[in-house]
Amino acid sequence: MQRPPRDAAALAALGLRGLSPGIGARLRAIFRGGRAATEDSWADVEEALIAADVGAVAALELVDAVRSRSTIRARDADEIRAELRQEIARRLAEVGSGTFELGPPPSVLLFVGVNGTGKTTTVAKLAARLGRDGRSVALAAGDTFRAAAIEQLRIWGEQLGVPVIAQRAGADPGAVAFDAVTAAEARGLDAVLIDTAGRLHTKGQLMAELTKIRRVVERRLPGQPRHVILVLDATTGQNGLAQAEAFAADAGVTGVIITKLDGTAKGGVVVAVAERLRIPIQFVGVGEGLGDLAPFDPHAYAEWLLSG
Ligand code: GDP
């Protein structure tokens, strides 16, 4: 009996079953019939990578790396695909990836990112995952700017059966963070996951607020927050990059979760984010359900990106 290829298993593990950016199909078209690679075909490969939102710099570097390894003139799409896949996975692994460790309880996890990226859903998904691993958690509604955000977190908390630390809309998010850390410590919880605002009146105000929350947590519990997780929406493609850079610079981001990788043609943005920020991608969101969060695996991701 033939065993399924390792990559198929890895792909399934990543939870990406749907549409991929379709680079595989483009490679097959470019190298149809084992055609010898020309300047034009390499330019087409670069273009296919850029179309998937890998970014111009990374696309050029990837093509150069694969090209420099080529010793024969006639190439086939599978060979190019395998080499690109290896190179993408290698680069991503260099930046770091995968899940994170919790420290001595309580670990404080701060979630940052603009509204609509899936931040609150991701907090819930991660809480569900930690719960499945036998960890006790609480959620904290640090986005006091929007009453709906507090309500949304309460609903997730009820569904998950975990405590939610919240105050009224308009309250000081630093005070919510302080309460949350105190409650987590008093209850002996493993982790507290703090949701934060994704939009205030100005970007400067938002960053100042995040800095303040961090400072409150640090003072209350030295060494925390252990993780500052940036949530980014893959469907925003290259536009998300500028956002990511701002948060990475100002909010002390330690890890990235990229959401909505299911069914986007812009999934290459993962490469662009990792290359630009040099911060590990830890999980990817692959759907709207609580279980749709997968630890990021560079090999499985590269396989998915180049499939189709
Ligand atoms: P927030 O404003 O950043 O807190 O965003 P929400 O958590 O409210 O999510 C915004 C929308 O994105 C909701 O409809 C979520 O169900 C959806 N969403 C979140 N993560 C994913 C994902 O990984 N895949 C898909 N397809 N939708 C997602």
Side-chain angles (χ1 to χ4, degrees):
M1 194 182 77
Q2 211 183 353
R3 287 179 52 204
R6 218 186 98 243
D7 290 334
L11 194 60
L14 196 59
L16 287 165
R17 296 163 293 261
L19 187 68
S20 83
I23 297 178
R26 296 206 42 186
L27 290 178
R28 280 197 301 280
I30 296 166
F31 295 96
R32 212 169 28 238
R35 194 182 286 171
T38 62
E39 282 299 325
D40 278 354
S41 43
W42 289 117
D44 288 345
V45 174
E46 202 178 315
E47 218 171 87
L49 291 167
I50 291 172
D53 257 316
V54 161
V57 176
L60 181 65
E61 288 176 6
L62 286 168
V63 167
D64 279 351
V66 170
R67 224 180 141 162
S68 70
R69 270 192 235 140
S70 87
T71 48
I72 46 173
R73 268 171 38 81
R75 308 298 301 251
D76 78 23
D78 284 344
E79 191 185 344
I80 304 277
R81 207 175 78 86
E83 289 197 6
L84 267 177
R85 189 184 55 196
Q86 210 178 16
E87 184 63 18
I88 289 170
R90 189 189 65 74
R91 283 164 164 259
L92 289 170
E94 213 175 81
V95 178
S97 63
T99 58
F100 48 70
E101 297 293 316
L102 295 183
S107 286
V108 181
L109 282 65
L110 200 61
F111 290 78
V112 302
V114 305
N115 287 346
T117 54
K119 185 157 33 83
T120 308
T121 309
T122 302
V123 167
K125 286 177 178 178
L126 208 57
R129 188 181 174 86
L130 288 167
R132 282 199 305 273
D133 290 345
R135 305 296 199 137
S136 54
V137 303
L139 311 180
D143 181 359
T144 58
F145 193 67
R146 292 183 310 147
I150 300 173
E151 192 46 34
Q152 197 189 344
L153 206 67
R154 279 212 173 98
I155 293 169
W156 280 124
E158 253 167 52
Q159 196 171 327
L160 291 163
V162 303
V164 176
I165 288 87
Q167 295 185 11
R168 67 193 185 322
D172 173 14
V176 175
F178 187 92
D179 281 0
V181 174
T182 305
E185 206 177 28
R187 298 177 192 201
L189 300 180
D190 291 314
V192 56
L193 283 60
I194 307 179
D195 193 15
T196 64
R199 193 183 70 82
L200 291 182
H201 297 297
T202 68
K203 192 186 132 233
Q205 276 178 331
L206 176 60
M207 294 307 170
E209 181 170 295
L210 294 176
T211 305
K212 187 179 161 201
I213 297 175
R214 261 177 58 202
R215 255 206 322 266
V216 168
V217 171
E218 249 163 46
R219 266 202 225 118
R220 179 65 188 72
L221 213 59
Q224 302 291 343
R226 187 175 171 92
H227 300 287
V228 179
I229 298 162
L230 172 65
V231 180
L232 273 180
D233 177 342
T235 64
T236 59
Q238 292 288 305
N239 294 335
L241 258 188
Q243 258 173 43
E245 283 182 323
F247 277 99
D250 292 344
V253 172
T254 58
V256 179
I257 296 181
I258 301 198
T259 61
K260 309 186 195 179
L261 211 55
D262 47 311
T264 174
K266 296 183 174 180
V269 75
V270 171
V271 177
V273 168
E275 295 269 320
R276 280 272 273 280
L277 302 189
R278 312 294 301 170
I279 295 174
I281 315 282
Q282 296 185 303
F283 289 91
V284 287
V286 294
E288 295 189 79
L290 276 178
D292 295 327
L293 184 77
F296 182 64
D297 175 328
H299 290 277
Y301 165 76
E303 171 65 19
W304 169 77
L305 182 67
L306 300 176
S307 65

